[in-house]
Amino acid sequence: SASWFPEEERTLATSIALNANQLGVGCAFIVGALWVQNPSQVSNYFSLLSVLSVAAYVGCVCQLEDAPPTPPSGSSRIMRGTMEWSVRDL
């Protein structure tokens, strides 16, 4: 959030992201309990979760940039590294 939001919006942006993660985990538990009725359906459920996760990952990689074109505040002007550099090091 430090790269994308001004100082007064960072706490809200971070809390929304963290709560969205927990909401996704909760939905996975609810959907899993409703969809899987016997043990043979577990592999189908995990396959669905895998496909959705890979699709979300590919969408994020294709759409998200490392930083906005113009920094929202002075503290976000600090260069913290780039996504390209991090991926190459893996």
Side-chain angles (χ1 to χ4, degrees), residues 31-54:
V31 170
L34 294 174
W35 193 25
V36 176
Q37 299 299 319
N38 58 47
S40 65
Q41 294 175 328
V42 172
S43 63
N44 292 337
Y45 177 63
F46 285 155
S47 296
L48 174 68
L49 285 180
S50 298
V51 168
L52 292 176
S53 297
V54 168

Side-chain angles (χ1 to χ4, degrees), residues 6-86:
E7 291 180 31
E8 63 273 3
E9 295 176 359
R10 290 179 188 164
T11 305
L12 179 63
T14 303
S15 64
I16 289 172
L18 291 174
N19 286 315
N21 180 33
Q22 297 303 315
L23 184 63
V25 170
C27 287
F29 276 110
I30 291 171
V31 170
L34 294 174
W35 193 25
V36 176
Q37 299 299 319
N38 58 47
S40 65
Q41 294 175 328
V42 172
S43 63
N44 292 337
Y45 177 63
F46 285 155
S47 296
L48 174 68
L49 285 180
S50 298
V51 168
L52 292 176
S53 297
V54 168
Y57 172 76
V58 169
C60 287
V61 167
C62 292
Q63 295 293 321
L64 293 181
E65 297 179 19
D66 190 35
T70 56
S73 67
S75 64
S76 63
R77 291 180 195 270
I78 300 169
M79 193 63 160
R80 290 180 170 79
T82 63
M83 188 169 151
E84 296 166 6
W85 185 73
S86 299

